[in-house]
Amino acid sequence: MNKTAGTSADKLAITGGPKVKTTPFGTGKRFGMEEVKELVEALEQETLFYHLGTKVKTFLADFNKMYGVPYSVAASSGTAAIHIALGAAGVTAGDEVITSPITDQGTLIGILYQNAIPVFADLDPHTYNLLPESIEAQITPRTKAIVVVHLAGNPCDMDFIMAIARKHGLKVIEDCAQSYLTYYKGNLAGTIGDYGCFSTNDFKHISTGDGGMVTVNSGKEEDYRNVHAFADKNYHRLGGAVNRGLSYLAPNYRMTELQGAVGIAQLRKLERICQRRHENGERITAGITGLPGVVPHQITEGGHCSYWFYMFRVDESQLTCTRDEFSAALAAEGIPNSAGYIPTTVYMSELFQHKQAYLGSHYPFELSDAEYGEGLCPNAEEILRKAIIVRANEFFTDADIEDIIAAIGKVADAYAKD
Ligand SMILES: *Cc1c(COP(=O)(O)O)cnc(C)c1O
């Protein structure tokens, strides 16, 4: 749109002009009779216990086939999946684990429950994923693992990260909660590191209400047994009689047959969901590239993104408005959006500021001299100050995507500096 055209359609809705979006966004049903059928079958088994029924087992077998992995284990959540991987990898008190400062707290919880110390590396300003050189700069003799977060379905730079990890003998855990069917150079995210952790909470690409999975990528049966046991109170149920001897502490993070049943039906929809989100996200990038003051969501080189959300950046130096004013103007045009993904980097949360993982205690932080303050990861902080998220849901129509692009363009043009 040309700023000098000056038609009334150019007048921003926030200043009384007409809205870009005048029709409702496309919607659809996530659950149908496919899920009902699986649930009924689960109940008719007369057991909802994963080890006695067939639903969780079938769900995992289908998932393994789709992902081309030898082993995976079901969990009660994505948070649990990450904790299981850390625990089975032997991450323990005082170990350091390098991870991302822009993520869900589910990435951090398992680290702290193992009494390990989260260490934050900075992010690429435009892919919003861990910078390999920043990871390497944080490695100390106490570093045990890296938890990479493929944010919003965009893969991390895994060639570099795996090379660093192998050089320093570190385990790599991929947090794939937001990155179903995300590819890095032809390989699926979740199959590249030692473990891949997925979430099926109600807000992810697919839902079982709550739930998660851990892939075991070494191909070693022993590793699979350890992961399996860590999800199940350290009961060893695989291959013969159950061994309940408690050799070390492990939580109960089991998935039930009800979740497994819904998961079977949801998995069958996953490819279509991810394909549609990929197309929507790519279309938004094509539509907003070159707009004044707008920096599209950049996909990692060699990456294929399944866009759990779409996050662009506002370059205030090219605009007469702030990021927050841009966000408000976009909302007024009928495009729901949020300014940033989380309010602050995770290390600015009270937990890290007060070094209080457990109520009334500074353990395990007192094992470490790690400090968490403003300026720790400058790129990450800047991303959260300048980013705007729009959704790229699979139910959105082509017209919805065109409206999102038109509205971003209208706002950018209206606020462009001369
Ligand atoms: C959702 C999410 C988690 C946690 O998953 P839950 O199933 O909610 O426990 C972890 N990491 C990331 C990046 C997530 O988006």
Side-chain angles (χ1 to χ4, degrees):
M1 225 178 287
N2 186 339
K3 226 180 128 189
T4 55
T7 66
S8 68
D10 292 341
K11 192 170 160 64
L12 289 177
I14 203 165
T15 59
K19 276 184 170 189
V20 168
K21 186 90 182 112
T22 53
T23 55
F25 280 97
T27 57
K29 284 179 63 144
R30 300 180 87 182
F31 308 114
M33 292 314 288
E34 316 78 64
E35 282 79 8
V36 172
K37 175 177 168 287
E38 296 290 338
L39 280 167
V40 169
E41 286 176 11
L43 290 163
E44 284 174 346
Q45 297 176 136
E46 286 299 334
T47 177
L48 295 176
F49 181 46
Y50 82 99
H51 194 59
L52 299 179
T54 63
K55 293 304 179 188
V56 171
K57 288 172 191 154
T58 303
F59 171 60
L60 292 176
D62 292 351
F63 180 78
N64 291 352
K65 195 165 165 221
M66 180 180 276
Y67 268 77
V69 293
Y71 301 114
S72 63
V73 168
S76 52
S77 70
T79 304
I82 295 165
H83 188 184
I84 292 164
L86 290 159
V91 170
T92 188
D95 289 343
E96 292 175 353
V97 178
I98 299 173
T99 192
S100 169
I102 298 184
T103 187
D104 182 87
Q105 63 208 50
T107 311
L108 285 308
I109 288 170
I111 301 173
L112 288 165
Y113 265 110
Q114 288 304 106
N115 290 310
I117 313 295
V119 172
F120 296 97
D122 209 354
L123 306 179
D124 179 281
H126 300 297
T127 67
Y128 321 129
N129 280 330
L130 284 167
L131 275 172
E133 58 267 33
S134 181
I135 293 175
E136 192 150 37
Q138 302 298 329
I139 293 173
T140 75
R142 296 169 71 175
T143 309
K144 192 75 168 270
I146 306 168
V147 180
V148 300
V149 180
H150 305 297
L151 196 76
N154 187 23
C156 292
D157 225 330
M158 292 306 288
D159 279 355
F160 292 96
I161 291 170
M162 292 309 293
I164 292 166
R166 294 301 173 241
K167 187 168 120 192
H168 296 273
L170 309 176
K171 294 288 183 197
V172 174
I173 295 166
E174 297 179 71
D175 180 342
C176 302
Q178 303 181 2
S179 57
Y180 281 99
L181 299 183
T182 286
Y183 290 85
Y184 174 79
K185 299 189 177 170
N187 296 308
L188 279 164
T191 69
I192 303 167
D194 297 284
Y195 308 94
C197 301
F198 294 80
S199 164
T200 55
N201 89 17
D202 212 44
F203 308 96
K204 308 305 193 204
H205 291 77
I206 52 171
S207 166
T208 62
D210 270 307
M213 298 83 87
V214 188
T215 62
V216 186
N217 299 333
S218 70
K220 289 187 198 148
E221 193 179 333
E222 189 196 346
D223 290 337
Y224 169 53
R225 286 174 182 276
N226 286 336
V227 172
H228 194 277
F230 203 89
D232 190 358
K233 301 187 279 190
N234 232 338
Y235 281 25
H236 288 261
R237 297 183 197 275
L238 296 170
V242 187
N243 177 355
R244 305 176 190 213
L246 192 58
S247 49
Y248 55 87
L249 194 62
N252 174 352
Y253 283 156
R254 300 185 303 224
M255 181 182 270
T256 76
E257 287 289 277
L258 297 174
Q259 292 157 293
V262 173
I264 292 168
Q266 287 278 291
L267 264 190
R268 291 193 206 115
K269 303 175 184 178
L270 183 59
E271 254 167 74
R272 251 176 300 145
I273 291 169
C274 291
Q275 180 57 27
R276 182 67 194 169
R277 282 176 176 253
H278 171 74
E279 289 164 7
N280 288 349
E282 296 291 302
R283 229 173 266 168
I284 294 172
T285 291
I288 67 173
T289 297
L291 289 174
V294 171
V295 187
H297 197 152
Q298 187 182 312
I299 304 313
T300 304
E301 210 185 311
H304 173 99
C305 183
S306 57
Y307 292 96
W308 189 57
F309 55 66
Y310 188 98
M311 187 154 85
F312 65 96
R313 280 180 62 155
V314 170
D315 179 356
E316 290 173 350
S317 74
Q318 292 190 43
L319 300 170
T320 60
C321 69
T322 63
R323 184 275 307 265
D324 290 349
E325 288 163 344
F326 196 111
S327 166
L330 192 57
E333 297 298 336
I335 308 301
N337 68 89
S338 57
Y341 163 50
I342 46 177
T344 62
T345 56
V346 289
Y347 57 76
M348 291 310 292
S349 64
E350 277 185 49
L351 186 159
F352 286 97
Q353 290 309 300
H354 299 163
K355 294 191 173 177
Q356 179 176 255
Y358 301 94
L359 200 57
S361 162
H362 292 302
Y363 196 83
F365 292 109
E366 59 203 19
L367 302 177
S368 156
D369 49 18
E371 289 300 333
Y372 306 99
E374 198 73 44
L376 185 62
C377 298
N379 290 351
E381 293 171 12
E382 182 70 0
I383 290 164
L384 293 178
R385 279 194 292 267
K386 297 295 157 60
I388 292 180
I389 286 185
V390 291
R391 297 280 158 178
N393 292 350
E394 64 273 18
F395 298 124
F396 286 8
T397 63
D398 291 351
D400 291 334
I401 301 300
E402 279 159 26
D403 285 343
I404 291 171
I405 293 166
I408 296 171
K410 182 180 170 189
V411 174
D413 284 336
Y415 286 123
K417 278 187 183 164
D418 292 323

